[in-house]
Amino acid sequence: MPTNCLFRDDSYLKNCEARFVGITDQGGIVLDRTVFYATSGGQPGDTGALTTQSGARIPITAAVYTDQAKTEIAHVPAPGAPSVTAGDTVIAAIDWDKRYARMRMHTALHLLSVTLPYPVTGGSVGESESRLDFDIPDAGLDKDEITRKVMEMIAADAAVTSRWISDAELEANPGLVKTMSVKPPMGTGRVRLIEIANLDLQPCGGTHVRSTSEIGAVRVTQIEKKGKQNRRVRLAFA
Ligand SMILES: [Zn+2]
């Protein structure tokens, strides 16, 4: 059963009431809706807890999609946690401090990809440090220069907004694809676009802050060579 993913429309929701729908073969708890972001696109799933009507607390150690199409989310309970029963409603609450740090980091990675307009081959979002891997033939990258450019965009306090667009709308507006830094996936019917005002437009399913100023101070800590054409750029909160 598809989960109503509330974080897609409001990444600032810290908790929600939800109805217990079922248990996966692996023991994951499925709810009708959730604020838990599920592991995807280099961003880890949220941790937190579910609290039942009777007051039982179920620590959640991970949130994962159960299907390729990413429509259903399973909340992985800690070993030995109390169980949920059919008909239960719960309050689902995420570890907000950790999630908010990831939202700031994730948004910072968008800015890093603007600063380095090369194909991205991988990435990872952490609470204190994150990285993007770029397909860049030659090095010559300067940590301080990249940091300066990213910090300029953070200081610009640019608005970060999301919108959904249908495959048909996308096809009708080829110019849109041209302005995007990443080519959107087609075939699922609709695509979620993240726009950072005057800076970046790309399809993305992650969680972001509302304005680049919320990211705070960051700096590029390391640029590693990963193979002939690959450079790994690490970013940390300063
Ligand atoms: Zn994103």
Side-chain angles (χ1 to χ4, degrees), residues 9-163:
D9 290 317
D10 185 358
S11 59
Y12 286 80
L13 278 179
K14 301 174 183 69
N15 57 65
C16 73
E17 195 178 272
R19 196 166 48 81
F20 171 66
V21 190
I23 297 272
T24 66
D25 293 342
Q26 289 78 32
I29 298 167
V30 180
L31 305 171
D32 66 337
R33 55 194 210 139
T34 191
V35 290
F36 280 72
Y37 178 82
T39 303
S40 177
Q43 186 178 331
D46 287 320
T47 58
L50 309 181
T51 307
T52 67
Q53 286 149 301
S54 59
R57 188 175 181 278
I58 304 162
I60 299 299
T61 57
V64 293
Y65 286 105
T66 63
D67 56 337
Q68 283 283 319
K70 296 179 183 172
T71 61
E72 188 187 74
I73 293 174
H75 305 74
V76 181
S83 55
V84 202
T85 47
D88 262 350
T89 57
V90 298
I91 300 293
I94 56 172
D95 291 330
W96 173 249
D97 289 351
K98 199 193 286 188
R99 154 71 91 72
Y100 186 57
R102 288 173 183 165
M103 281 161 57
R104 292 165 57 209
M105 267 297 179
H106 182 120
T107 311
L109 290 185
H110 279 249
L111 300 181
L112 184 61
S113 77
V114 173
T115 308
L116 297 170
Y118 305 100
V120 172
T121 57
S124 173
V125 178
E127 291 92 74
S128 56
E129 192 199 68
S130 299
R131 63 170 171 81
L132 277 184
D133 296 342
F134 294 93
D135 185 355
I136 310 175
D138 188 34
L141 301 179
D142 183 69
K143 280 190 290 190
D144 295 338
E145 178 68 8
I146 300 168
T147 296
R148 192 184 60 74
K149 285 181 178 167
V150 169
M151 283 307 298
E152 242 175 51
M153 291 185 273
I154 290 172
D157 196 16
V160 183
T161 53
S162 73
R163 65 179 187 270

Side-chain angles (χ1 to χ4, degrees), residues 201-222:
L201 179 66
Q202 61 175 284
C204 185
T207 56
H208 311 81
V209 290
R210 291 185 187 113
S211 166
T212 57
S213 62
E214 281 191 41
I215 296 168
V218 294
R219 67 188 177 89
V220 173
T221 53
Q222 197 181 30

Side-chain angles (χ1 to χ4, degrees), residues 177-228:
V177 177
K178 223 177 274 176
T179 60
M180 279 183 224
S181 53
V182 178
K183 201 167 176 277
M186 297 282 281
T188 58
R190 61 178 199 161
V191 174
R192 182 174 181 250
L193 299 182
I194 297 298
E195 180 162 23
I196 303 181
N198 303 315
L199 293 174
D200 187 36
L201 179 66
Q202 61 175 284
C204 185
T207 56
H208 311 81
V209 290
R210 291 185 187 113
S211 166
T212 57
S213 62
E214 281 191 41
I215 296 168
V218 294
R219 67 188 177 89
V220 173
T221 53
Q222 197 181 30
I223 298 171
E224 286 170 80
K225 192 173 173 176
K226 289 276 170 186
K228 203 176 166 194

